[in-house]
């Protein structure tokens, strides 16, 4: 059985001044200790590059060498930071994972910059901004990257490597008040900021195991913070309830400070059902006017359903683009929140949910076109690739089979007769076939061709044009 990891972001609800002080202290200590580890790694870079590989023999008997977080973590020294012992262990794993990625990129021929931490000093951002304002062209890229890193925040997210109520962090459930909490061990023993946990009754249980947290298990190293879950309760239904019912397992977490608020990013692992054997194929064409046009065909290529999922994403992007342009012309700062990426992702999530429901209804395989989007470092900004990424994880969770096919000529081949047609009108949105006279939206036409290409086997056909012509006499949905 395969596993899918999903991350939920929980806001900590109205933490007290003392809890804020504890979290700020732990985050700053974590950030400084992280930089100390990186400084040590920089001094011993050649040694880590030579000895930091994990060596094993695969099933074919081949000897494999690769950089891993575990192999590098064994080489890192234990940090001298005034934080909980479990935080120190997590810190080493955090730094080792980033170092493993750094050395792996170098081995792959890339030229990455050495990992850096953040600067918790209040003067870090003003100093970086002043330096950037005085920089020459030859040092522009360096100081620009430096300013960007400082602008991300003054402290690094604090990593919890496992879920445990006696160390690290875990999620708790109050069975009497129906509330959820985060328990985080941050302070060392006998620290001046330490206070006993407010446990008066045995009404708190661990979310993942159901184990009761005894009121006698008082600790001055941890804080207990309620989670802010909103009114619709979607986080409870998607993450917390499955974790209580053993449908999802809590793996790791990060404590993040953002604009004065505190968030806990929790990684859940879900067991996924095996994909079913498809009886139909749902082809998706990602266009400019519509984010997803779909064509549903049966196992013989007969068209069952055709349409497109209309939405306001394109109009929303144009509107927000004009707002950013107006701010820039007015001399106002444009930040990442003005790009509204979360709003765009919500729309794409809704589209994927509709496609999943349609695939489950018809027991269909979802077929996407391979657009060959080349993005360095897999940092994808295209909404076409984002839609594919959302579809991949949702299909895995629901057991819906998914495949990708080549996209060449999908918009120019007539899905009714298989002859080459032409795209007309504004940006080629209208498809016209001179052979059979078919007129339809080019995205709708492409969606049917993409769905049928799931049936294409290269060895059985001279070329894909002959394959598409084989559907000339296939009856189905009338698309005139």
């Amino acid at each position: 059985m395969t596993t899918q990891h999903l991350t939920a972001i929980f806001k900590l609800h109205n933490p007290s001044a003392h809890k804020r002080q504890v979290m700020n202290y732990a985050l700053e200590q974590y950030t400084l200790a992280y930089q100390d580890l990186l400084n040590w790694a920089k001094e011993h870079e050649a040694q880590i590059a030579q000895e930091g590989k994990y060596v094993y023999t695969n099933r074919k008997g081949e000897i494999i060498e690769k950089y891993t977080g575990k192999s590098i973590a064994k080489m890192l020294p234990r940090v001298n930071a005034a934080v909980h012992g479990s935080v120190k262990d997590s810190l080493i794993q955090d730094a080792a994972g980033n170092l493993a990625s750094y050395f792996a990129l170098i081995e792959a021929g890339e030229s990455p910059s050495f990992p850096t931490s953040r600067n918790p000093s209040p003067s870090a951002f003003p100093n970086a901004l002043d330096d950037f304002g005085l920089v020459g062209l030859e040092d522009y890229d360096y100081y620009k990257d430096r300013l960007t890193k400082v602008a991300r925040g003054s402290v690094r997210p604090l990593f919890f490597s496992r879920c445990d109520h006696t160390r690290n962090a875990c999620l708790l459930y109050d069975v009497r008040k129906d509330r959820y909490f985060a328990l985080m061990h941050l302070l060392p023993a006998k620290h001046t900021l330490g206070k006993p946990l407010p446990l008066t009754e045995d009404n708190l249980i661990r979310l993942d195991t159901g184990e009761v947290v005894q009121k006698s298990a008082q600790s001055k190293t941890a804080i207990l913070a309620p989670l802010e879950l909103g009114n619709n309760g979607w986080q409870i239904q998607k993450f917390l309830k499955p974790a209580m019912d053993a449908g999802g397992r809590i793996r790791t977490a990060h404590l993040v400070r953002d604009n004065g608020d505190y968030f806990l990013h929790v990684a859940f692992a879900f067991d996924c059902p095996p994909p079913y054997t498809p009886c139909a194929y749902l082809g998706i064409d990602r266009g400019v006017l519509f984010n997803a046009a779909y064509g549903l065909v049966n196992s013989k290529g007969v068209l069952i359903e055709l349409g497109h999922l209309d939405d306001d994403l394109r109009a929303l992007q144009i509107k927000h683009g004009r707002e950013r342009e107006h701010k820039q012309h007015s001399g106002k700062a444009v930040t990442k929140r003005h790009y509204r990426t979360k709003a765009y992702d919500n729309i794409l999530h809704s589209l994927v949910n509709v496609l999943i429901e349609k695939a489950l209804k018809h027991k269909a395989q979802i077929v996407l076109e391979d657009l060959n989007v080349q993005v360095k470092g897999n940092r994808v900004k295209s909404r076409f690739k984002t839609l594919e990424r959302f579809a991949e994880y949702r299909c895995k969770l629901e057991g819906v089979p998914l495949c990708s096919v080549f996209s060449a000529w999908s918009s120019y081949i007539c899905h009714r007769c298989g002859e080459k047609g032409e795209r007309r009108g504004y940006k080629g949105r209208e498809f016209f076939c001179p052979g059979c006279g078919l007129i339809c939206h080019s995205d709708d036409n492409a969606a049917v061709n993409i769905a049928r290409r799931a049936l294409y086997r290269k060895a059985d056909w001279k070329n894909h044009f002959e394959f598409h012509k084989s559907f000339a006499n296939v009856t189905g949905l009338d698309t005139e």
Side-chain angles (χ1 to χ4, degrees):
M1 183 174 290
T2 58
T3 302
Q4 177 67 49
H5 291 81
L6 298 178
T7 300
I9 301 177
F10 301 106
K11 183 179 180 181
L12 302 185
H13 178 68
N14 195 23
S16 64
H18 172 257
K19 293 177 182 178
R20 289 175 178 270
Q21 188 178 6
V22 172
M23 288 188 287
N24 288 337
Y25 169 81
L27 287 166
E28 291 174 5
Q29 290 294 315
Y30 187 92
T31 302
L32 295 173
Y34 187 90
Q35 185 60 57
D36 291 340
L37 272 181
L38 294 181
N39 293 339
W40 183 93
K42 185 64 177 178
E43 294 176 1
H44 300 79
E45 184 174 356
Q47 179 185 354
I48 297 176
Q50 184 178 2
E51 304 174 8
K53 288 186 176 180
Y54 172 64
V55 183
Y56 67 98
T57 304
N58 63 13
R59 294 180 179 178
K60 298 180 180 180
E62 301 170 335
I63 298 177
I64 307 296
E65 297 182 1
K66 66 177 183 179
Y67 293 102
T68 65
K70 285 187 177 181
S71 59
I72 294 180
K74 295 178 181 179
M75 303 180 63
L76 297 179
R78 189 165 179 82
V79 294
N80 185 21
V83 291
H84 195 267
S86 62
V87 174
K88 296 180 182 180
D89 297 337
S90 300
L91 172 60
I92 292 177
Q93 295 184 36
D94 191 7
N98 282 332
L99 289 170
S101 299
Y102 167 73
F103 287 109
L105 287 173
I106 292 179
E107 193 175 37
E110 302 287 342
S111 301
S113 59
F114 194 82
T116 59
S117 185
R118 303 183 186 181
N119 191 346
S121 172
S123 60
F125 182 76
N127 291 342
L129 187 60
D130 291 341
D131 293 341
F132 180 70
L134 301 174
V135 73
L137 291 177
E138 63 278 3
D139 297 325
Y140 176 82
D141 291 336
Y142 169 78
Y143 283 97
K144 177 186 175 183
D145 292 342
R146 179 188 169 197
L147 179 63
T148 302
K149 290 178 181 179
V150 175
R152 290 175 183 170
S154 60
V155 292
R156 181 176 179 80
L158 193 152
F159 177 57
F160 298 104
S161 59
R162 63 177 182 177
C163 178
D164 193 344
H165 69 279
T166 60
R167 51 190 287 113
N168 275 279
C170 70
L171 299 181
L172 304 179
Y173 175 61
D174 189 333
V175 295
R176 296 183 182 178
K177 298 182 180 179
D178 191 27
R179 298 184 66 187
Y180 296 86
F181 295 85
L183 179 67
M184 299 173 288
H185 288 269
L186 301 172
L187 299 173
K190 299 181 181 180
H191 194 275
T192 55
L193 290 176
K195 289 184 179 181
L197 290 175
L199 302 179
T200 58
E201 299 177 352
D202 295 336
N203 58 332
L204 290 177
I205 62 172
R206 272 185 58 174
L207 198 68
D208 52 343
T209 64
E211 181 181 355
V212 177
V213 179
Q214 301 292 336
K215 64 181 180 181
S216 58
Q218 294 288 359
S219 173
K220 294 185 179 181
T221 65
I223 61 172
L224 188 67
L227 302 181
E228 187 172 304
L229 300 174
N231 296 324
N232 54 12
W234 71 271
Q235 290 172 307
I236 297 177
Q237 299 301 323
K238 186 173 183 179
F239 295 101
L240 301 180
K241 287 294 185 182
M244 296 178 66
D245 300 334
R249 301 180 300 280
I250 301 174
R251 289 303 195 191
T252 60
H254 285 85
L255 175 63
V256 179
R257 187 178 72 188
D258 187 10
N259 293 326
D261 293 321
Y262 300 85
F263 301 86
L264 194 65
H265 297 218
V266 183
F268 291 81
F270 294 90
D271 292 330
C272 305
Y276 53 74
T277 302
C279 299
Y281 301 92
L282 183 65
I284 310 299
D285 179 73
R286 290 160 284 180
V288 177
L289 182 61
F290 309 115
N291 276 296
Y294 67 88
L296 181 67
V297 302
N298 64 14
S299 58
K300 296 182 179 180
V302 177
L303 182 59
I304 302 173
E305 186 176 344
L306 181 65
H308 52 258
L309 303 179
D310 198 359
D311 59 77
D312 298 326
L313 179 59
R314 183 58 182 160
L316 199 63
Q317 289 175 323
I318 294 174
K319 176 184 175 182
H320 293 161
R322 289 172 178 171
E323 290 177 354
R324 292 192 297 270
E325 186 178 0
H326 177 71
K327 282 184 174 293
Q328 290 173 331
H329 288 168
S330 303
K332 298 180 180 179
V334 175
T335 62
K336 65 178 182 180
R337 69 182 181 87
H338 294 108
Y339 284 85
R340 314 290 180 88
T341 55
K342 184 177 292 187
Y344 306 153
D345 287 351
N346 290 338
I347 293 176
L348 294 179
H349 271 297
S350 300
L351 293 179
V352 170
N353 290 337
V354 173
L355 294 174
I356 293 293
E357 290 178 5
K358 195 171 292 293
L360 290 172
K361 178 182 177 181
H362 297 275
K363 205 175 182 181
Q365 180 180 33
I366 292 182
V367 187
L368 300 176
E369 55 182 338
D370 184 5
L371 296 177
N372 286 324
V373 179
Q374 299 294 331
V375 181
K376 183 177 179 182
N378 291 328
R379 293 186 176 92
V380 179
K381 295 299 182 183
S382 169
R383 75 174 187 274
F384 303 119
K385 202 68 178 178
T386 303
L387 182 69
E388 179 179 337
R389 180 164 53 86
F390 291 168
E392 285 176 353
Y393 93 81
R394 287 287 285 120
C395 285
K396 192 174 180 181
L397 280 174
E398 300 293 341
V400 176
L402 174 71
C403 72
S404 60
V405 297
F406 62 95
S407 60
W409 295 95
S410 61
S411 298
Y412 288 89
I413 297 177
C414 178
H415 73 265
R416 189 162 68 179
C417 68
E419 298 293 337
K420 292 182 183 178
E422 57 187 58
R423 296 177 63 173
R424 308 184 303 188
Y426 180 66
K427 292 187 177 181
R429 292 174 180 171
E430 182 181 83
F431 173 82
F432 170 69
C433 178
C436 65
L438 174 66
I439 299 176
C440 65
H441 197 287
S442 59
D443 289 346
D444 295 342
N445 180 68
V448 180
N449 289 328
I450 291 169
R452 285 172 173 167
R453 284 180 179 180
L455 302 169
Y456 176 69
R457 302 294 179 266
K458 189 175 182 179
D460 299 337
W461 300 93
K462 181 179 180 181
N463 52 54
H464 64 273
F465 294 105
E466 296 297 325
F467 166 76
H468 285 287
K469 288 180 181 178
S470 68
F471 297 102
N473 297 322
V474 172
T475 59
L477 182 69
D478 189 2
T479 57
E480 285 189 296

